[in-house]
Amino acid sequence: MSVWRLVRLKFGNSPVHFGEVGIGLEKSSERIRSDALFSAWISTYARLFGKAGVEELLERFPTKAKPESQPPVRMSSTFIYSRPEGKNEIYYLPRPLKFPINYPREDLPFFKEYKKLTYLPISVWHRWYQGEGFTKNDEEELIGRTKDKRELIDKTQKKPPVNDALHQAGTFNYGETFKPEKRPKIAVDRVNAATNLYHTGFVQFNWDQSNNEILSLAGLYFLLEFPEEDKSLETNLHAALSLLGEEGLGGRRSSGAGRFEIEWESSLPQDWQKILNHPKERTHHCVISLFWDDDSSVLKDLITDQCSYEIQERRGWIAGSPSGHNLRRKSVQMFLEGSVFPQPPLGKLADVTPEGFKDHQIYRNGIALSIPIKVKPEKISSDCL
């Protein structure tokens, strides 16, 4: 029986800079994906337990050379959680790229409002994709929000809709949990000492201060699934993650960005137990991590007219070449979070070692973590999602 852990990253008043494909220094994503988290975590693990320790761990994961291996742990990407004053914690999950059960055919009056819901609170996620599905009240609430925006009603005068279950769950508050900001930086030319002003994008999660204590009102979380209890591995991963929190996650760490404290939950909250208690009528699986596989026979079974997915090229740089310069790692195409498949995808580590780099292998984590869901049975084009 698998063992689940929920890990929260509390950044307090420390900003973060998470670069993404197509995003320059002036912008930052509000979260970090599973392959980047895995790489940072493994690098810290190697410093703690040495080359032999990290190679022993990586040897346990499935790769192209040994696809049948059972991974010692699966991890999700990071997603936002918030702690609203006087309310329980809200955890957000990516909306699956399929319509939920009971979603109406005639959705023109509210489709734009629905499409904006890229992330859902897990209470709504559970109801839409594992429970009763989309309801008439949900439709009326989304239509109400659309009408309010068309009429340009001032927020201070707007009355809450009669049916406001989505609002009460925090469905529309995702963007209020963090604040993007730009900070000026100065670059100094090493040759002629000329200066150049530029800006770097950061994300600041909500925080407060009470009696000289920094309180994290929002941050990131992720899930771990162990195939069986492994206290030794869990202890080592905990230690490596703690060290990573002191050093910082993401870019611009020399500016103090990305530092965090961890909360490692040994027992899942009740809402999460509902999510992970597989529904009997499950029809599909939604990935909450990145997913990669190079086996055409595996992909043939997954990529059918019953799936909906998005793909992104994952590329970047590594440090540690013999010359002391950065090297570009090989790029791979990975399925993104929220992709839906008729069967649970498994995935592998992708070998992205640059040509000529002989020190050690470089991997990107394409091992999938998925949750079973129920979706609308009609065939729907992913283009409209």
Side-chain angles (χ1 to χ4, degrees):
M1 182 176 179
S2 61
V3 176
W4 290 84
R5 297 288 184 259
L6 185 145
V7 183
R8 286 185 290 269
L9 309 181
K10 303 191 302 178
F11 293 91
N13 61 351
S14 175
V16 300
H17 177 86
F18 300 139
E20 276 282 10
V21 175
I23 294 181
L25 280 177
E26 292 192 1
K27 294 185 179 180
S28 171
S29 173
E30 73 273 15
R31 63 184 188 86
I32 190 167
R33 300 185 188 273
S34 55
D35 64 336
L37 174 63
F38 180 84
S39 296
W41 202 346
I42 287 296
S43 295
T44 309
Y45 191 99
R47 291 199 296 275
L48 271 182
F49 302 105
K51 183 178 180 180
V54 74
E55 287 181 347
E56 179 183 358
L57 174 60
L58 292 175
E59 185 65 25
R60 299 169 63 183
F61 286 90
T63 62
K64 184 175 182 178
K66 41 185 181 57
E68 302 301 325
S69 298
Q70 170 80 341
V73 62
R74 297 178 184 272
M75 68 173 61
S76 74
S77 293
T78 64
F79 305 105
I80 285 182
Y81 77 91
S82 68
R83 286 172 168 159
E85 185 176 354
K87 296 184 178 181
N88 295 329
E89 290 174 332
I90 299 176
Y91 297 92
Y92 290 92
L93 274 176
R95 175 174 59 83
L97 298 179
K98 284 278 192 182
F99 290 117
I101 291 289
N102 302 324
Y103 187 87
R105 290 182 178 274
E106 301 298 327
D107 62 353
L108 187 60
F110 65 89
F111 177 69
K112 287 185 178 180
E113 203 64 35
Y114 170 86
K115 190 177 181 181
K116 294 177 184 177
L117 302 179
T118 309
Y119 298 93
L120 299 173
I122 62 170
S123 59
V124 176
W125 198 97
H126 172 65
R127 179 165 62 83
W128 280 8
Y129 289 97
Q130 293 182 327
E132 61 182 309
F134 195 85
T135 66
K136 188 65 176 179
N137 288 344
D138 296 330
E139 179 179 348
E140 292 175 355
E141 186 172 354
L142 291 176
I143 291 175
R145 288 182 62 85
T146 303
K147 288 181 177 179
D148 286 346
K149 291 180 179 179
R150 288 175 180 171
E151 296 170 2
L152 299 178
I153 297 178
D154 188 87
K155 289 184 178 180
T156 59
Q157 300 177 355
K158 183 174 64 177
K159 296 181 180 180
V162 176
N163 302 312
D164 65 343
L166 298 179
H167 170 75
Q168 291 296 327
T171 306
F172 311 107
N173 299 337
Y174 180 84
E176 300 175 7
T177 60
F178 62 91
K179 180 181 179 182
E181 56 186 39
K182 293 181 180 180
R183 298 186 180 182
K185 300 289 181 180
I186 298 292
V188 181
D189 192 288
R190 295 182 179 181
V191 177
N192 56 21
T195 58
N196 180 44
L197 175 67
Y198 67 98
H199 290 79
T200 299
F202 292 91
V203 166
Q204 180 67 67
F205 296 107
N206 293 346
W207 64 281
D208 199 359
Q209 187 169 357
S210 176
N211 297 325
N212 296 322
E213 181 182 0
I214 302 299
L215 304 177
S216 292
L217 303 182
L220 297 177
Y221 78 93
F222 61 92
L223 295 171
L224 297 173
E225 183 190 18
F226 298 88
E228 58 185 6
E229 190 171 17
D230 190 336
K231 292 184 178 179
S232 176
L233 175 59
E234 190 171 345
T235 299
N236 291 348
L237 289 175
H238 190 290
L241 188 62
S242 297
L243 177 58
L244 181 60
E246 296 176 4
E247 297 179 344
L249 180 63
R252 317 308 293 180
R253 295 189 298 274
S254 61
S255 301
R259 296 176 182 173
F260 60 86
E261 297 179 353
I262 65 174
E263 289 182 342
W264 190 291
E265 296 288 349
S266 58
S267 59
L268 294 177
Q270 185 175 2
D271 287 347
W272 273 110
Q273 294 180 23
K274 294 178 181 179
I275 291 279
L276 301 176
N277 183 18
H278 300 178
K280 295 180 180 179
E281 297 114 7
R282 63 187 184 274
T283 60
H284 292 73
H285 292 260
C286 175
V287 293
I288 56 173
S289 66
L290 297 188
F291 160 56
W292 176 86
D293 203 313
D294 62 343
D295 191 328
S296 58
S297 61
V298 171
L299 296 177
K300 183 179 179 180
D301 293 336
L302 290 174
I303 302 178
T304 69
D305 58 359
Q306 295 298 312
C307 74
S308 293
Y309 59 85
E310 289 184 0
I311 292 178
Q312 185 182 89
E313 182 181 30
R314 305 296 290 171
R315 60 178 187 264
W317 300 80
I318 67 167
S321 66
S323 63
H325 298 292
N326 287 346
L327 291 176
R328 182 180 289 277
R329 64 174 182 262
K330 295 178 180 178
S331 63
V332 291
Q333 301 280 348
M334 290 191 174
F335 295 91
L336 295 183
E337 307 93 340
S339 296
V340 177
F341 300 97
Q343 301 177 26
L346 301 178
K348 303 171 185 172
L349 296 185
D351 189 341
V352 295
T353 309
E355 296 293 339
F357 187 81
K358 304 297 184 182
D359 289 7
H360 54 79
Q361 299 299 110
I362 306 294
Y363 293 104
R364 300 300 285 183
N365 183 15
I367 295 177
L369 181 60
S370 63
I371 301 177
I373 61 173
K374 300 183 294 182
V375 300
K376 190 173 181 177
E378 291 88 352
K379 181 180 177 182
I380 303 172
S381 172
S382 61
D383 294 336
C384 67
L385 297 176

